[in-house]
């Protein structure tokens, strides 16, 4: 199966899952998680109409930008971001950083974005929904404060939440995690935007609280049924990753 055929098949599955909750497939943003794929595979996905490509590693992303792998599609950063690499990501080239997991990182992104001309960096807050010690992301209890900080930062636009449930969760547990993230997303939208989940102007940006990014190859249909507006699919589009190759 080619990348284009895989994307077509995923779109059909997205359409069905979306319809089951009264949405359309086109309401769901499909992000191709393209870590460890080459520029040619990324270009194939762009040609096949992927909504965005998401990268995990700064160095790999910089290389593939130089190879023009993403031309024609928005680029997202979806991996763990170290503070000392923020300046390589906040350049105006990345249209959404999905994986902002701490106040310190928010402040670093603000500093970098403020150094660019006329640029506001859209971000999602990553929530460590399983409260796993080894995983980055805001703990659920710290999320509201993180969002409130983000809303004071003039070069950041906070658009919603991203989450990855624990790797070893059963499908049933996984669905419960998705439900919990959805509940947080809705509650925060209410608290932060006073029941107005549309446009609101707090830090002089037009903030929209409109993106809930959850679901990967193994569980994106469950995520959509739980309320995801964005899914990040790697293996089912690009094939298995070979971690032993450089
Ligand atoms: C790799 C990755 C994905 C996609 O995972 P698959 O199981 O290959 O679909 C999604 N989100 C993030 C943050 C990832 O690192």
């Amino acid at each position: 199966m080619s990348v284009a055929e895989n994307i077509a098949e995923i779109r059909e599955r997205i359409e069905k899952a979306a319809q089951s909750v009264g949405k359309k497939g086109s309401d769901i943003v499909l992000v191709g998680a393209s870590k460890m794929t080459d520029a040619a595979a990324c270009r194939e996905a762009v040609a096949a109409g992927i909504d965005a490509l998401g990268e995990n590693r700064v160095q790999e992303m910089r290389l593939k930008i130089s190879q023009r792998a993403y031309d024609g599609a928005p680029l997202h950063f979806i991996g763990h971001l170290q503070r000392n690499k923020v300046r390589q990501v906040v350049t105006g080239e990345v249209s959404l950083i999905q994986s902002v997991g701490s106040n310190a990182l928010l402040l670093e992104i603000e500093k970098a974005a403020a150094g660019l001309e006329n640029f506001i960096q859209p971000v999602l807050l990553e929530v460590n929904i399983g409260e796993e010690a080894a995983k980055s992301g805001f703990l659920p209890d710290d999320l509201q404060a993180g969002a409130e900080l983000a809303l004071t930062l003039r070069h950041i636009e906070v658009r919603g939440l991203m989450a990855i449930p624990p790797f070893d969760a059963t499908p049933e547990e996984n669905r419960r995690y998705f439900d919990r993230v959805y509940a947080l997303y809705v509650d925060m939208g209410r608290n932060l935007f006073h029941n107005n989940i549309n446009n609101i102007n707090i830090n002089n940006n037009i903030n929209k609280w409109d993106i809930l990014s959850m679901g990967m190859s193994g569980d994106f249909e469950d995520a959509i049924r739980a309320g995801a507006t964005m899914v990040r699919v790697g293996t089912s589009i690009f094939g298995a990753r070979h971690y032993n190759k450089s």
Side-chain angles (χ1 to χ4, degrees), residues 51-110:
D51 296 318
L53 288 168
E55 284 294 346
N56 283 69
R57 296 168 194 197
V58 175
Q59 200 181 351
E60 178 179 348
M61 183 184 79
R62 293 300 339 161
L63 173 67
K64 282 150 86 177
I65 286 174
S66 75
Q67 297 169 335
R68 318 200 62 154
Y70 316 113
D71 284 12
L75 173 61
H76 293 183
F77 191 81
I78 64 176
H80 177 63
L81 181 55
Q82 291 166 280
R83 280 158 65 194
N84 64 3
K85 299 221 169 122
V86 162
R87 276 173 199 284
Q88 296 178 63
V89 173
V90 180
T91 56
E93 295 159 304
V94 172
S95 64
L96 185 65
I97 302 177
Q98 297 201 15
S99 41
V100 180
S102 70
N103 289 344
L105 194 57
L106 277 170
L107 293 170
E108 202 66 39
I109 291 169
E110 168 65 17

Side-chain angles (χ1 to χ4, degrees), residues 31-35 54-56 78-80 98-99 126 162-164 213 215-220 231-237 239 241 243:
V31 179
S34 49
K35 60 176 173 277
E55 284 294 346
N56 283 69
I78 64 176
H80 177 63
Q98 297 201 15
S99 41
E126 180 173 359
M162 185 271 248
I164 308 171
S213 175
M216 319 201 295
S217 291
D219 58 11
F220 67 86
V231 295
R232 309 173 311 272
V233 179
T235 313
S236 293
I237 291 176
R241 292 179 288 270
Y243 284 96

Side-chain angles (χ1 to χ4, degrees), residues 102-137:
S102 70
N103 289 344
L105 194 57
L106 277 170
L107 293 170
E108 202 66 39
I109 291 169
E110 168 65 17
K111 229 193 307 174
L116 302 175
E117 217 166 299
N118 288 325
F119 183 67
I120 291 171
Q121 179 65 66
V123 305
L124 303 180
L125 303 182
E126 180 173 359
V127 50
N128 181 357
I129 194 62
E131 308 197 27
E132 297 168 274
K135 203 181 255 177
S136 52

Side-chain angles (χ1 to χ4, degrees), residues 126-132 135-141 143 161-166 173-174 176-184 214:
E126 180 173 359
V127 50
N128 181 357
I129 194 62
E131 308 197 27
E132 297 168 274
K135 203 181 255 177
S136 52
F138 287 95
L139 294 172
D141 283 348
L143 204 49
L161 299 180
M162 185 271 248
I164 308 171
E173 289 166 343
N174 207 56
R176 275 206 299 271
Y177 284 119
F178 285 153
D179 289 342
R180 260 185 248 164
V181 179
Y182 178 72
L184 282 168
M214 55 185 194

